[in-house]
Amino acid sequence: MSSTLAQARGLLSGVKCDSCCLSWDYLTPGWCKVNAIKCNEPPAVISEIDCYTREGSQEASCEPAARAGWNSKIEYFLAQVGFSVGLGNVWRFPYLCHQNGGGAFLLLYVLLMLLVGIPLFFLELAAGQAIRQGSIGVWKYISPRLAGIGYSSCVVCFFVALYYNVILAWSLYYLGNSFQYPLPWEQCPEQRNVTVKECEKSSPTSYFWYRKALDITDSIDETGSFNPYIVCCLLAAWTIVCLGMFKGIKSSVKVMYFSSIFPYVVLFCFLIRGLMLDGAFEGITYMFYPKLEIWADIQVWRQAATQVFFALGLGFGSIIAYSSYNPKNNNCHRDAFTVSFINFMTSVLATLVVFAVLGFRAKDKAMECVARYVKETIVCSANVDQNLMPSFNYSDATSVGLEDYRNWFKQHGSSIPGNLTDCDLEKEMQKGVEGTGLAFIAFTEAMSLLPGSPFWSALFFLMLLNLGLSTMFGTMEGILAPLTDCFKTLANNKTKLTIFSCIIGFLIGLLFTQRCGNYFVMMFDDYSATLPLIIVVVFETFSVSWLYGADRFLDDIEAMLGWRPSVVYKYLWKYICLLAMLGLLGATTIRMFITPPTYMAWNQEEASEARLPYPAWALAVLSLLIIFAMMPVPLGLIHAVLQGRTRQTSRDTEAGQYSSVSTDDKCETPMTDMSELCQPNGTSALLSSTSD
């Protein structure tokens, strides 16, 4: 007796019938192998039967029988926004906006977000929602040879989690020190009634950051001992992350109800308070003043594209993991625009806050400068031509206006004996306004000038802690979700995997708690993620738009949403996004080779920062970080090729063991075949056919 089977054109998972369970291994057109499975096998085992097509177009673990989901759309939004909105929105975006043309940079940023950022964000959302797998499963589904992309994303997530949690440890340390008055970084300490020279040469906030918090060495070559306070804070940070991730998204989302919303409350409080400060208007004006000439600078385009790239969290796999918990009909197209818009507006809000407060700090510093040099002018007035002396009342130095002093200095300052200098407000704003320099030095100093400074300090560092926690949850999900999707043993022990991952993260993270640990944080931040993630997104874009096919991907989205997104996405994915990411990759690589990698070190003797080149061993470590992050891509390709050859050999040896199966038109789809097989008589007929 013969049975009819259509030529395999897709993937089939195991199907449980009344009398037996069957799985299909497609070998060559017209040939099939039937594997009988015990009927009492649990559904999870049946659903994960390996499926294979001869064309090599798809190979992946089938979707797990049961997959967690969001309880509501609000939870999903909190998770996606919490992951994408992180510390970079607060201390990276404002710096780039100020340094690269203010309003002109904002326009460039919006342009790149519309042309590159949102289409790629939509791509990852749709891929995760359609395939309902983590990053490894998604790219393996598209092609087995691309499985390494998902593993690379996991490696990069692990690298980022290592140093990102150290920043949370620093925030915890500052948060703990905020509950005292006066704040420990408001004044320089004294030893035997003498002000500490290192603090006197720099500032109280710089001294507290470099000497008290980090106890930093002069270079990365000097390791030093572990900082016990930071070690304890790092342990606390990893404990919080572990407890939040203990039960996957079910537990982490409960924390996100606070950690994703609280930062906005704090930002609005700071904005209202900041706008009432003297100098806030000047700070915001400096930020938004457009300098359109910067559009001709290729480095500005590179920095804007990189910021768009990291602001949305592309390439980490966390976007894919979170969207994989969505129902199939969720409008991921609208989600892409909504989350991107919230992310951008958060960056603008944070920038307003930062420059309102930094404007106040810069105005205070500039007025101190004016008072100091006016007093020096008074001392020299007896030996100076009275026609050169200022026309304003300089007898009271504190009453002199900044603009009055600057106008007088430009005209006659060079003719006055002494070391008079211009008191430039913008130069004051440019000091320490990026990264940790903004959060732990400049902004901290500004808050110490406010009435009720401990309250504002505690609020600020609690905000940083919550911003970092939401991002850490997403980063950890980018590691755990793909691994548990691909490996059944890990899926059955997800809680143990979470605890184990956090313990390993803490132990390796001790590297960053040494006295030279800050230099390693900068190394990981600058090099462990940037280049590998760009390469990952290049492969993602190419695999979806060219290998899988942009039209085919839009068909899948249409099947999910019930309507077809604009054909514009096809051309954006195939050309604009791909060329933009390749350009960013080329610009980043060229810059790394042209400009030798350097880091900002703290010189204790000079009490100032100095940019130093990385030593040879550090360059080797830096290179290994990039190589380790990218190694899974070629390894995954090689593994898939070798596996394909092994299966080809296996098919050649088994080809004679099975009978040819005729085909006809009534069994046009694989699902039609399986529906026939599940009839009471269909199964026995097929078995007798294969035994003939």
Side-chain angles (χ1 to χ4, degrees), residues 416-688:
I416 304 297
N419 296 319
L420 298 186
T421 59
D422 187 14
C423 298
D424 192 345
L425 188 65
E426 185 172 7
K427 286 184 179 179
E428 290 294 338
M429 292 188 61
Q430 291 175 347
K431 295 179 180 178
V433 293
E434 181 188 14
T436 54
L438 168 65
F440 299 106
I441 298 178
F443 210 88
T444 302
E445 182 177 354
M447 289 185 297
S448 66
L449 302 174
L450 297 174
S453 55
F455 168 77
W456 294 107
S457 178
L459 208 59
F460 176 72
F461 289 110
L462 189 58
M463 179 192 72
L464 288 187
L465 178 64
N466 281 276
L467 279 174
L469 271 179
S470 298
T471 303
M472 271 298 298
F473 288 149
T475 304
M476 292 299 293
E477 189 66 27
I479 301 172
L480 300 176
L483 294 178
T484 52
D485 283 342
C486 283
F487 302 101
K488 182 170 175 281
T489 303
L490 297 180
N492 293 335
N493 298 276
K494 188 170 184 178
T495 301
K496 294 179 182 178
L497 175 64
T498 302
I499 297 173
F500 178 76
S501 300
C502 291
I503 292 174
I504 293 297
F506 168 71
L507 293 177
I508 300 178
L510 291 175
L511 167 72
F512 305 104
T513 64
Q514 299 178 95
R515 293 182 60 196
C516 64
N518 184 49
Y519 303 138
F520 284 98
V521 170
M522 287 190 286
M523 177 193 292
F524 272 67
D525 188 33
D526 291 337
Y527 299 103
S528 70
T530 304
L531 199 62
L533 279 181
I534 294 173
I535 296 175
V536 164
V537 175
V538 167
F539 276 108
E540 287 182 4
T541 311
F542 178 76
S543 61
V544 169
S545 59
W546 290 95
L547 294 183
Y548 190 81
D551 288 318
R552 184 181 175 192
F553 191 61
L554 288 172
D555 290 339
D556 295 339
I557 296 175
E558 183 179 10
M560 284 196 306
L561 305 184
W563 56 275
R564 190 178 184 85
S566 172
V567 71
V568 172
Y569 284 105
K570 171 183 175 180
Y571 299 103
L572 287 174
W573 289 330
K574 294 186 71 171
Y575 304 107
I576 304 297
C577 293
L578 188 57
L579 291 176
M581 295 310 300
L582 288 173
L584 180 60
L585 175 62
T588 303
T589 306
I590 292 172
R591 184 174 179 272
M592 287 181 62
F593 282 101
I594 292 179
T595 306
T598 59
Y599 66 100
M600 192 66 75
W602 176 258
N603 187 299
Q604 183 175 4
E605 185 67 26
E606 299 294 331
S608 63
E609 294 178 330
R611 187 161 291 279
L612 302 177
Y614 280 107
W617 66 266
L619 290 175
V621 172
L622 185 153
S623 302
L624 287 175
L625 289 175
I626 298 174
I627 292 172
F628 284 155
M630 290 315 305
M631 189 62 72
V633 175
L635 289 181
L637 174 62
I638 295 171
H639 176 265
V641 171
L642 294 178
Q643 193 176 49
R645 291 180 178 177
T646 303
R647 283 181 171 171
Q648 181 64 43
T649 303
S650 176
R651 290 197 296 270
D652 292 341
T653 58
E654 294 179 2
Q657 301 178 21
Y658 303 100
S659 302
S660 178
V661 181
S662 62
T663 62
D664 58 30
D665 294 336
K666 73 175 183 177
C667 293
E668 183 62 27
T669 66
M671 292 307 296
T672 304
D673 301 335
M674 296 310 295
S675 63
E676 289 185 5
L677 291 174
C678 285
Q679 300 300 324
N681 298 328
T683 302
S684 58
L686 179 62
L687 292 175
S688 62

Side-chain angles (χ1 to χ4, degrees), residues 289-483:
Y289 183 78
K291 303 172 184 175
L292 297 177
E293 63 272 11
I294 60 98
W295 281 44
D297 187 354
I298 190 65
Q299 289 302 319
V300 174
W301 285 79
R302 183 189 65 80
Q303 290 181 336
T306 304
Q307 182 61 23
V308 168
F309 180 82
F310 281 102
L312 295 177
L314 300 173
F316 283 90
S318 305
I319 298 170
I320 294 174
Y322 277 154
S323 65
S324 70
Y325 299 117
N326 276 330
K328 285 277 189 178
N329 62 347
N330 175 65
N331 192 340
C332 54
H333 182 263
R334 182 178 58 199
D335 294 346
F337 278 88
T338 305
V339 174
S340 299
F341 176 76
I342 293 174
N343 187 295
F344 172 69
M345 293 309 298
T346 304
S347 297
V348 174
L349 174 63
T351 304
L352 286 171
V353 170
V354 166
F355 278 92
V357 176
L358 289 186
F360 162 68
R361 168 183 171 269
K363 186 71 172 289
D364 184 78
K365 289 286 186 181
M367 293 309 296
E368 286 182 4
C369 169
V370 169
R372 182 169 61 253
Y373 289 120
V374 166
K375 289 179 181 179
E376 189 171 328
T377 303
I378 295 174
V379 173
C380 302
S381 61
N383 303 321
V384 176
D385 184 353
Q386 293 303 309
N387 293 325
L388 299 179
M389 294 302 292
S391 58
F392 52 78
N393 180 17
Y394 56 88
S395 59
D396 183 8
T398 58
S399 65
V400 179
L402 177 60
E403 289 302 318
D404 293 335
Y405 172 82
R406 294 197 67 194
N407 291 334
W408 169 78
F409 178 82
K410 289 177 182 178
Q411 293 178 359
H412 308 294
S414 59
S415 303
I416 304 297
N419 296 319
L420 298 186
T421 59
D422 187 14
C423 298
D424 192 345
L425 188 65
E426 185 172 7
K427 286 184 179 179
E428 290 294 338
M429 292 188 61
Q430 291 175 347
K431 295 179 180 178
V433 293
E434 181 188 14
T436 54
L438 168 65
F440 299 106
I441 298 178
F443 210 88
T444 302
E445 182 177 354
M447 289 185 297
S448 66
L449 302 174
L450 297 174
S453 55
F455 168 77
W456 294 107
S457 178
L459 208 59
F460 176 72
F461 289 110
L462 189 58
M463 179 192 72
L464 288 187
L465 178 64
N466 281 276
L467 279 174
L469 271 179
S470 298
T471 303
M472 271 298 298
F473 288 149
T475 304
M476 292 299 293
E477 189 66 27
I479 301 172
L480 300 176
L483 294 178

